[in-house]
């Protein structure tokens, strides 16, 4: 076993870095920084100019900086088992989602779907629970394989089709980075009484996220281990301060069929938020021992996710329910969703503003893992992107969502309503295919050393076809502002979002016969 490292972090700095000299079969490591080997033994090395190599060596020599990218973490490079390491799985997800951006999702039930307090609360909690289960399931592969989630996708989708999922996952993580920056900027601006612009708040959130994500796994896990404590305290204070204004008697609006359709749509939207982590959930467990039980990864991930989403979703629903009866809250909501959260601390004077700052900065805990995962996603797109160090891609990711946040800072709710549901479609279809391929390989298992050898991975014809068929099901069943599918239009008075359910159904039915045919004709 390799020397010990902090729970959830990378191995000790003395360990070789396979990213600098990777061979496919057998798996070996090298400390030579002169070149980066391509994904096939038939391909030449990518040689980098000496000046770039020298600069890269200086950066990677910084204490605590993770130089590894998407290269598989071999069993000998993992840290040992520990109770703190196991609990870190729950702490990570609890910290990352006990945040204002997820709290704002709860607003959508009463304010967008016109659901009452009870309907909104039930749909938010149970919708999130389903999404948490799917993400927890995808988390089991990190410790088992030593591979990042989208590398694991190669074993289920095929080497080339999995790149589609990589691109879509980058879009998800950049999108959440945008939302985090805007929410944090709105709250910091509201705390300052408008003297600080939303743009300045966005810069603060983006810069702190950049620093932690650049240094990588060790600092990231250390941050998440403690970030939940101040967040939990100030959110409990928010319950005490704003709770008396929550309107638990708020009724749902519309006919019975319209209410049923809105329940389904909000349930699906609430599911989409936690399930969006499914395409990244294994990224953070690759340094855990190979012997880590799958049930342990599943239960601890599910616990951290569900507890955090339950707290923030219910708080969001409560705040939104009080808008109709409180003029000050309504005025705050007209300014921004961040201002509404801050209005919940009215009556606490300066201490309330301090709590607002803590809540605003809490979105950083949500932003860091998404930024880290998106940077890895770029490396998975091909041999040339893989040659670019992870920290450079981190800078690119932050730059993208920073610019998008500046442009979209006045349209947050539109982004929420459309982006979240749209991203939930492809992730649930992807997880459906993973689950069925898992059943195919239940006895034989996977050869994780084949992570970068297309000839030893599935071709992906069946998975790609099922994925596209599932997407087609999503399209004809989706309900968005810009498009209503023909199936979605049949539900309720105005329609309901059935995209996730029809899309998954299409994929689940399509994949097994196609995969059996693929195995018969291709053999892998």
């Amino acid at each position: 076993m390799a020397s010990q490292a902090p729970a959830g972090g990378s191995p000790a700095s003395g360990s070789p870095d396979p990213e600098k000299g990777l061979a496919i079969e057998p798996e070996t490591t090298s400390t030579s920084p002169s070149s980066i080997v391509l994904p096939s033994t038939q391909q030449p090395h990518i040689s980098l100019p000496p000046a770039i190599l020298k600069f890269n060596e200086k950066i990677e020599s910084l204490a605590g900086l993770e130089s590894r990218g998407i290269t598989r973490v071999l069993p000998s490079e993992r840290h040992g088992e520990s109770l703190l390491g196991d609990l870190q799985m729950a702490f990570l997800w609890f910290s990352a989602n006990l945040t204002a951006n997820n709290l704002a999702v709860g607003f959508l039930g009463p304010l967008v779907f016109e659901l009452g307090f009870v309907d909104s609360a039930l749909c938010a909690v149970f919708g999130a629970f389903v999404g948490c289960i799917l993400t927890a399931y995808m988390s089991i592969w990190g410790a088992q394989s030593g591979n990042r989630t989208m590398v694991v996708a190669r074993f289920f989708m095929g080497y080339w089709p999995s790149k589609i999922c990589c691109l879509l996952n980058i879009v998800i993580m950049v999108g959440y980075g945008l939302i985090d920056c805007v929410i944090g900027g709105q709250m910091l601006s509201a705390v300052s009484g408008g003297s600080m612009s939303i743009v300045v708040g966005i810069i603060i959130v983006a810069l702190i996220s950049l620093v932690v994500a650049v240094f990588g796994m060790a600092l990231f896990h250390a941050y998440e281990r403690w970030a939940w404590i101040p967040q939990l305290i100030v959110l409990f204070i928010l319950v005490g301060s704003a709770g008396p204004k929550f309107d638990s008697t708020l009724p749902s609006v519309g006919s019975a069929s319209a209410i049923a359709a809105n329940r389904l749509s909000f349930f699906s939207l609430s599911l989409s938020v936690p399930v969006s982590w499914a395409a990244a959930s294994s990224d953070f467990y690759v340094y855990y021992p190979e012997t880590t039980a799958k049930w342990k990864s599943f239960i601890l991930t599910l616990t951290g996710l569900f507890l955090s989403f339950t707290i923030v979703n219910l708080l969001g629903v409560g705040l939104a329910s009080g808008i109709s009866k409180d003029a000050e809250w309504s005025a705050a909501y007209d300014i921004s969703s961040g201002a509404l959260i801050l209005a919940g601390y009215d009556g606490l004077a300066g201490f309330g503003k301090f709590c607002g700052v803590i809540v605003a900065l809490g979105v950083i805990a949500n932003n860091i893992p998404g930024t880290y995962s998106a940077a890895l996603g770029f490396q998975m797109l091909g041999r040339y992107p893989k040659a670019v160090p992870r920290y450079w891609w981190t800078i690119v990711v932050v730059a993208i969502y920073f610019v998008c946040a500046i442009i979209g800072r006045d349209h947050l709710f539109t982004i929420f309503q459309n982006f979240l549901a749209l991203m939930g479609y492809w992730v649930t279809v992807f997880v459906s295919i993973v689950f069925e391929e898992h059943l195919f390989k239940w006895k034989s298992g996977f050869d994780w050393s084949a992570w970068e050898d297309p000839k030893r991975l599935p071709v992906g014809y069946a998975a790609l076809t099922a994925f596209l068929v599932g997407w087609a099901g999503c399209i004809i069943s989706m309900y968005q502002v810009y498009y209503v599918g023909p199936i979605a239009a049949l539900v309720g008075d105005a329609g309901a979002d059935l995209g996730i359910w029809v899309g998954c159904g299409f994929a689940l039915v399509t994949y097994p016969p196609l995969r059996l045919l693929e195995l018969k004709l291709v053999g892998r």
Side-chain angles (χ1 to χ4, degrees), residues 195-218:
S195 60
M196 175 192 290
S197 70
I198 294 177
V199 173
V200 174
I202 289 173
I203 293 173
I204 293 172
V205 173
L207 282 179
I208 299 176
S209 301
L210 173 65
V211 171
V212 179
V214 160
F215 273 84
M217 193 69 79

Side-chain angles (χ1 to χ4, degrees), residues 198-486:
I198 294 177
V199 173
V200 174
I202 289 173
I203 293 173
I204 293 172
V205 173
L207 282 179
I208 299 176
S209 301
L210 173 65
V211 171
V212 179
V214 160
F215 273 84
M217 193 69 79
L219 181 58
F220 157 58
H221 272 285
Y223 186 94
E224 301 290 354
R225 186 176 302 135
W226 305 108
W228 63 272
I229 297 176
Q231 285 298 303
L232 188 64
I233 292 173
V234 296
L235 289 179
F236 278 166
I237 292 172
L238 180 60
V239 173
S241 173
K245 296 183 179 180
F246 292 178
D247 184 4
S248 60
T249 64
L250 181 71
S252 297
V253 177
S255 65
S257 60
I259 291 173
N262 287 335
R263 286 170 180 163
L264 178 59
S265 295
F266 185 51
F267 182 96
S268 301
L269 183 66
S270 299
L271 183 161
S272 298
V273 182
V275 83
S276 62
W277 285 117
S281 57
S282 286
D283 291 359
F284 318 117
Y285 296 165
V286 294
Y287 292 108
Y288 278 82
E290 191 177 30
T291 55
T292 302
K294 292 180 180 178
W295 66 264
K296 185 185 296 183
S297 299
F298 178 86
I299 293 298
L300 290 170
T301 300
L302 178 62
T303 300
L305 283 168
F306 184 58
L307 287 178
S308 58
F309 275 105
T310 298
I311 293 172
V312 294
N313 281 344
L314 291 178
L315 264 173
V317 169
L319 286 170
S321 71
I323 287 180
S324 61
K325 292 187 176 181
D326 191 292
E328 293 183 357
W329 282 17
S330 180
Y333 167 64
D334 289 338
I335 298 173
S336 70
S337 57
L340 173 59
I341 296 172
L342 184 63
Y345 290 107
D346 284 350
L348 299 182
F351 180 68
K353 291 187 175 182
F354 171 77
C355 291
V357 172
I358 299 299
V359 173
L361 296 179
V363 298
I364 296 169
N366 184 268
N367 212 17
I368 293 168
T371 304
Y372 179 88
S373 181
L376 293 171
F378 275 107
Q379 287 192 318
M380 296 175 202
L381 296 179
R383 60 184 183 270
Y384 293 107
K386 178 177 178 289
V388 178
R390 181 193 59 80
Y391 63 86
W392 276 113
W393 284 123
T394 303
I395 296 171
V396 170
V397 169
V398 173
I400 293 172
Y401 66 62
F402 169 75
V403 172
C404 291
I406 297 297
I407 296 172
R409 64 186 183 277
D410 296 325
H411 308 284
L412 182 62
F413 257 38
T414 302
I415 295 171
F416 256 131
Q417 189 178 1
N418 299 328
F419 169 78
L420 296 181
L422 187 62
M423 290 300 99
Y425 297 149
W426 84 263
V427 178
T428 49
V429 171
F430 165 67
V431 175
S432 300
I433 294 171
V434 170
F435 177 73
E436 290 193 322
E437 179 65 13
H438 187 191
L439 296 180
F440 273 106
K441 297 290 183 67
W442 189 267
K443 293 184 179 181
S444 62
F446 299 90
D447 178 8
W448 300 118
S449 67
W451 69 278
E452 204 172 22
D453 187 354
K455 295 180 180 180
R456 296 163 61 196
L457 293 167
V459 179
Y461 296 143
L464 177 60
T465 303
F467 186 77
L468 295 176
V469 170
W471 252 108
C474 294
I475 292 172
I476 63 176
S477 309
M478 65 191 294
Y479 183 91
Q480 300 297 326
V481 173
Y482 49 84
Y483 174 76
V484 178

Side-chain angles (χ1 to χ4, degrees), residues 38-110:
L38 308 186
S40 170
T41 53
Q42 304 299 318
Q43 297 167 327
H45 291 246
I46 297 177
S47 297
L48 300 177
I52 294 179
L53 289 171
K54 187 175 181 180
F55 175 78
N56 187 54
E57 286 179 351
K58 288 183 178 180
I59 296 296
E60 293 186 351
S61 66
L62 294 174
L65 188 139
E66 180 189 16
S67 59
R68 183 186 296 273
I70 63 171
T71 303
R72 182 187 179 218
V73 183
L74 301 177
S76 60
E77 298 176 297
R78 321 266 186 99
H79 62 67
E81 293 188 39
S82 69
L83 177 60
L84 179 59
D86 291 343
L87 292 177
Q88 177 63 17
M89 293 183 180
F91 289 149
L92 161 63
W93 296 110
F94 191 65
S95 285
N97 294 290
L98 198 71
T99 52
N101 61 307
N102 290 326
L103 189 153
V105 175
F107 295 171
L108 302 179

